[in-house]
Structures are given as structure tokens and as C-alpha cells.
Amino acid sequence: MKNQVKVMVAEQGGEFGEHCAKFLEDYGYDVKVVAKDGSRIIEFIKTYEPDVVLMDTFMPRVDALGVLRLLKENKPEKRPVIALISSVDNPRFEQELLSAGADYYFIKPFDLNVMAQRLAQISGWSKEKEGREMMVDNKDIEVVISDIMRQIGVPAHIKGYKYLRESIMLSVGDPELMHAVTKVLYPTVARNNKTTPSRVERAIRHAIEVAWDRGDVDVLSGYFGYTIQNSRGKPTNSEFIAMISDELRLRMKKAQ
């Protein structure tokens, strides 16, 4: 299929790897299972050119942290999304891997269906309900979001404007992203714009602050009435994105 995402699973020979690969294939991914060998992952990436690499944090010879460092040094022509699997639930260890370049961190045990959805989100791929895969055309919704942001008072020339618009577009398509803002939403926007999740978060925060200082109070009240009326201050990034995306979903539902 033309728009299939290529996923490389580094779990060859293991029952979990085979089961995982079969599930992803059924979901609609183009899957390649390779040896669970950290020292050869870069070679596999260059040969197969996957969109996504799914590998364990602990592998023979070279672990995931070593692979991430090698990936930065070797700089393959096509840099894949890196999703890690681990039995270690340690925030500091997880942050170290994410800081080193990992895009997502799955902690065992996890639901394979959730994994398939998360891989779709972080790779920018979408799946229709009927089971056929396609890239989503967001042109119309992008225009509507841009119009709303101008009404609210977010200046189009600042970086946060673009990041906010993209975050809202992603959240309209998948409301579950609001439960994974720092783990999925920010990293996805960051990767699409060749920046870091922390810069995305700061830029969005700045955009909201500017809108609150210079925006039309009546328009702001229409979207964030409780915030203004109760003097709770500016909405958080998550609140801002959730409210606008929810409003858009309601409009789309009424238009059907």
C-alpha cells in the first residue's frame, strides 16, 4: 500500500517480537523483523530505511542508549522515529533515553493496540475506521484553526502560532493525545519542525501569554469563559489546546 509506514522490529527469534510484528502487520504497517542486536541496528536502518524502529532498551553488545548515540554520529539519510520497549519504570532512565533522541518509551506490559496507535501518532500516519490506510488531508481544518487563532489574538509571526496550530490539528484527529501531551504531542510537533519538545512547549506558552495580553476579551470569553470570569489566569497549554480542539470537533459533528 502506497502510504504504509515501514516499521523495523528488533526482536527476531523472540515470541514477543513475532507477536508484536504480526499485530502491526494486521494493523496495516509494513513490518520487518531483524535481530535484537544493538551493534547491527544502524546497519539495518541504512539497509531497510524504516519510518519507525521498535527496539528493546537492553540488547546484546550495544544497548538502546548506545544505538541512539551511534545514530547521531552516523546520521543516516533517513532518520527514523525511535520507539523503545522496557520493563524498567524509572522516570530518570526514561528521561535520559528521551533526551538522547528516543521518541517514545513503552513500559511493559502494554496494550498492543495502544502501541499501534501511538506509532501512528508519532510517525504522522493515520488509519481509517474501515481498515484502509491513508494520509490525512488537514487543509480545511487548518484554515479554520488559523482563523480561530487570529480571532483569539495569537500573532502569526511567532513560532508558537505554528506549533499551536499543529498541536490543535493533531488533537482534533485524536482526543487521546491530550492524555499524552509531553510524551507524544510535543515530541511529534518537535520532530515535524526539527526542534525539541521543550522548545515547542515554551513557544506555545509564549503564544498563549501574548494572546491573553493583547486578545479580544469577548472572543477569549467565548472559548475560555470560566478562566476569565473566575480570574484563574491564563489557561495552561493543555487546556488551551483541549478547548479549541473540542470546539472544532463539536462544529464538525454538527456539520455532519
Side-chain angles (χ1 to χ4, degrees):
M1 200 170 293
K2 184 180 179 181
N3 289 324
Q4 274 185 303
V5 169
K6 294 168 68 176
V7 180
M8 190 178 85
V9 181
E11 282 277 349
Q12 194 172 58
E15 185 177 336
F16 173 78
E18 297 298 332
H19 181 57
C20 186
K22 178 65 168 61
F23 186 89
L24 291 173
E25 284 178 348
D26 291 342
Y27 195 86
Y29 291 99
D30 177 3
V31 182
K32 176 75 172 178
V33 182
V34 300
K36 184 178 176 179
D37 184 343
S39 64
R40 297 188 63 196
I41 294 292
I42 302 300
E43 177 188 331
F44 292 142
I45 288 174
K46 289 180 179 178
T47 302
Y48 183 57
E49 295 187 334
D51 299 296
V52 179
V53 172
L54 185 64
M55 62 183 174
D56 205 301
T57 51
F58 299 106
M59 297 179 287
R61 302 182 189 176
V62 179
D63 62 10
L65 196 56
V67 170
L68 290 167
R69 287 169 179 160
L70 286 171
L71 197 59
K72 283 186 178 180
E73 292 172 8
N74 285 267
K75 296 180 181 178
E77 189 172 330
K78 181 180 180 181
R79 201 281 190 188
V81 168
I82 303 295
L84 302 179
I85 300 170
S86 179
S87 300
V88 178
D89 186 3
N90 183 311
R92 290 185 65 182
F93 180 56
E94 179 180 347
Q95 188 55 53
E96 182 180 9
L97 288 160
L98 293 172
S99 298
D103 297 288
Y104 202 80
Y105 188 89
F106 293 102
I107 301 174
K108 293 179 180 178
F110 54 83
D111 187 303
L112 289 177
N113 192 56
V114 171
M115 178 192 70
Q117 292 173 10
R118 289 291 177 265
L119 293 183
Q121 290 160 4
I122 61 179
S123 63
W125 185 65
S126 180
K127 183 173 185 291
E128 289 183 316
K129 290 180 181 179
E130 291 76 14
R132 291 188 60 82
E133 296 71 36
M134 65 177 289
M135 299 302 291
V136 178
D137 182 1
N138 289 314
K139 194 172 293 184
D140 293 337
I141 194 73
E142 186 174 354
V143 171
V144 175
I145 293 171
S146 297
D147 186 51
I148 289 174
M149 288 174 64
R150 281 194 293 271
Q151 291 176 34
I152 290 173
V154 180
H157 69 277
I158 62 176
K159 286 184 179 180
Y161 176 94
K162 182 181 180 182
Y163 299 160
L164 251 181
R165 182 174 61 188
E166 189 169 342
S167 297
I168 293 167
M169 287 171 65
L170 290 168
S171 301
V172 169
D174 184 0
E176 290 299 313
L177 280 175
M178 295 316 303
H179 300 299
V181 173
T182 56
K183 283 193 171 184
V184 179
L185 186 58
Y186 290 158
T188 301
V189 174
R191 187 175 53 259
N192 292 343
N193 293 277
K194 294 181 173 58
T195 185
T196 64
S198 60
R199 286 177 179 171
V200 168
E201 182 177 12
R202 287 197 300 270
I204 288 176
R205 183 77 237 141
H206 174 63
I208 292 171
E209 289 173 350
V210 171
W212 228 249
D213 292 339
R214 58 173 266 185
D216 186 314
V217 174
D218 291 333
V219 175
L220 289 169
S221 295
Y223 291 100
F224 311 98
Y226 82 94
T227 300
I228 295 176
Q229 292 162 11
N230 296 334
S231 301
R232 289 184 62 239
K234 307 174 184 68
T236 64
N237 291 9
S238 297
E239 285 177 327
F240 191 101
I241 295 166
M243 287 181 180
I244 300 300
S245 57
D246 187 55
E247 169 70 18
L248 284 165
R249 279 193 297 274
L250 287 174
R251 289 189 191 182
M252 291 164 68
K253 189 173 182 180
K254 289 177 182 178
Q256 290 177 350

